[in-house]
Amino acid sequence: MPESAFPEWIRRTDATLSNALPDPAVAPQRLHAAMRHAVLKGGKRMRPLLVYATGTALGAADASLDAAAAAVELIHCYSLVHDDLPAMDDDALRRGQPTVHVAFDEATAILAGDALQTLAFDVLANAPQDAPQRVAMLAELARASGVAGMCGGQALDIDATGGRTKGDQRHVSDRDDSTAGVVRPKNDYGFVPLPFSLAELERLHALKTGALLRCAVRLGALAANADASCCAALDRYADALGLAFQIRDDLLDIEGDAATLGKTTGKDQAQDKATFPALLGVPASRARLQELAASMQAALDSVDADTHALAALAHKAIHRSH
């Protein structure tokens, strides 16, 4: 089974991360402890798994992928620390543990996120690839993390979230100012209907969630010196994976429980978040998941390599319970 490699890849990721993180006994101890809390307290490690699954499918050795796998996970962990802050989603639970700002304090959480972000690039800059490959990988991670990727998507998500007013720094976009203060009826699933299209919602999540997942696949491909045709097919797989991952996440916020998920449930609905169930409803969101599953398999079928591990990760993204 292709999943048989996953525990070893997770073990390698955790070991690389633990070695890269600063010693909590060394000053500033509080910051170092917060960084380790954010990174080493569980997690699915989906992004590192994508790096390994892609790279090994194309002939790269595990050891040549360790740095890239750890770097993309560090970026993901930093984003979670900042996403949980009171200024963003104000969450108290992450991976079954208190969020960093709850376990430590808000200022330490901000610094921990900043430090994890810079550590990601430090780790990747020391990857075993040659200089041109490392530069390409660093550029890929930077694009996926910034305004053209994850940060830009988070900004769109903030603008799309309900309950914003002009007095709130996180107010809705100018296009939606006319609806400020208007109470819109909820749909059958308890969501206020979203004032934008499916294409706009998919673009938001392609940046917020999809960019870093696509980056993980691209890092594996870059480490293995994949050709342009292969990279294009893997991009199609990764783009569909990013949307599928987000749709499943949205559904789990409705259908999951906090104990299994390791984070608070029902917050999307409470905050009128921009989600697929809010726009499409639950049945249509599930149907969209199946369309994306077919797209992922079609993309992998065009890759001249053993992509069973990537197919297993696609299945995991769609059927996961947390």
Side-chain angles (χ1 to χ4, degrees):
M1 294 291 290
E3 295 95 331
S4 63
F6 293 176
E8 171 60 14
W9 290 342
I10 292 172
R11 186 201 66 77
R12 295 187 71 96
T13 300
D14 289 346
T16 305
L17 290 168
S18 183
N19 289 334
L21 288 162
D23 185 345
V26 175
Q29 291 95 333
R30 188 173 183 80
L31 174 59
H32 292 171
M35 293 169 68
R36 298 183 78 86
H37 180 94
V39 174
L40 300 178
K41 293 289 185 180
K44 293 177 287 295
R45 305 303 194 214
M46 173 64 80
R47 291 149 193 84
L49 288 174
L50 286 167
V51 174
Y52 286 113
T54 304
T56 57
L58 302 175
D62 285 353
S64 71
L65 301 167
D66 291 338
V72 74
E73 185 68 4
L74 286 167
I75 291 291
H76 175 56
C77 291
Y78 121 71
S79 75
L80 298 181
V81 174
H82 283 188
D83 195 48
D84 290 334
L85 287 167
M88 294 282 193
D89 284 352
D90 194 15
D91 261 316
L93 192 67
R94 172 71 67 178
R95 294 172 171 174
Q97 303 286 334
T99 49
V100 176
H101 72 273
V102 171
F104 295 86
D105 57 69
E106 191 172 342
T108 300
I110 293 169
L111 290 173
D114 292 344
L116 291 173
Q117 181 188 47
T118 56
L119 180 60
F121 290 98
D122 187 2
V123 169
L124 191 55
N126 289 286
Q129 282 72 32
D130 61 27
Q133 280 178 291
R134 286 200 307 275
V135 170
M137 293 163 77
L138 286 163
E140 190 62 53
L141 188 61
R143 280 191 296 268
S145 305
V147 69
M150 184 179 65
C151 285
Q154 179 69 9
L156 291 173
D157 189 42
I158 289 169
D159 284 348
T161 298
R164 306 303 192 210
T165 68
K166 283 195 172 183
D168 186 338
Q169 289 184 335
R170 299 172 293 168
H171 62 75
V172 295
S173 64
D174 290 341
R175 182 189 59 188
D176 296 329
D177 280 351
S178 61
T179 67
V182 176
V183 177
R184 291 177 285 150
K186 294 184 178 182
N187 64 21
D188 291 342
Y189 304 99
F191 287 92
V192 174
L194 301 179
F196 47 84
S197 68
L198 177 60
E200 289 173 302
L201 182 63
E202 290 194 345
R203 177 176 177 268
L204 185 164
H205 288 300
L207 297 177
K208 180 186 175 185
T209 302
L212 204 58
L213 290 165
R214 183 174 63 247
C215 175
V217 173
R218 286 182 173 179
L219 289 177
L222 286 168
N225 280 315
D227 62 32
S229 174
C230 179
C231 288
L234 289 170
D235 271 354
R236 293 194 298 275
Y237 161 82
D239 287 343
L241 177 71
L243 288 177
F245 193 92
Q246 183 61 52
I247 292 172
R248 185 60 184 149
D249 214 49
D250 291 350
L251 289 170
L252 285 171
D253 188 73
I254 302 170
E255 301 168 340
D257 64 89
T260 302
L261 289 173
K263 62 181 180 180
T264 309
T265 57
K267 293 204 70 174
D268 292 346
Q269 186 174 339
Q271 296 176 350
D272 291 338
K273 296 278 284 185
T275 71
F276 286 90
L279 182 65
L280 302 177
V282 171
S285 295
R286 289 182 182 140
R288 182 70 177 118
L289 266 183
Q290 296 313 307
E291 293 171 1
L292 291 166
S295 296
M296 285 187 276
Q297 190 56 56
L300 292 179
D301 287 344
S302 66
V303 177
D304 185 19
D306 181 354
T307 58
H308 284 93
L310 287 169
L313 289 172
H315 184 272
K316 182 185 288 286
I318 287 176
H319 297 285
R320 64 195 171 92
S321 60
H322 65 283

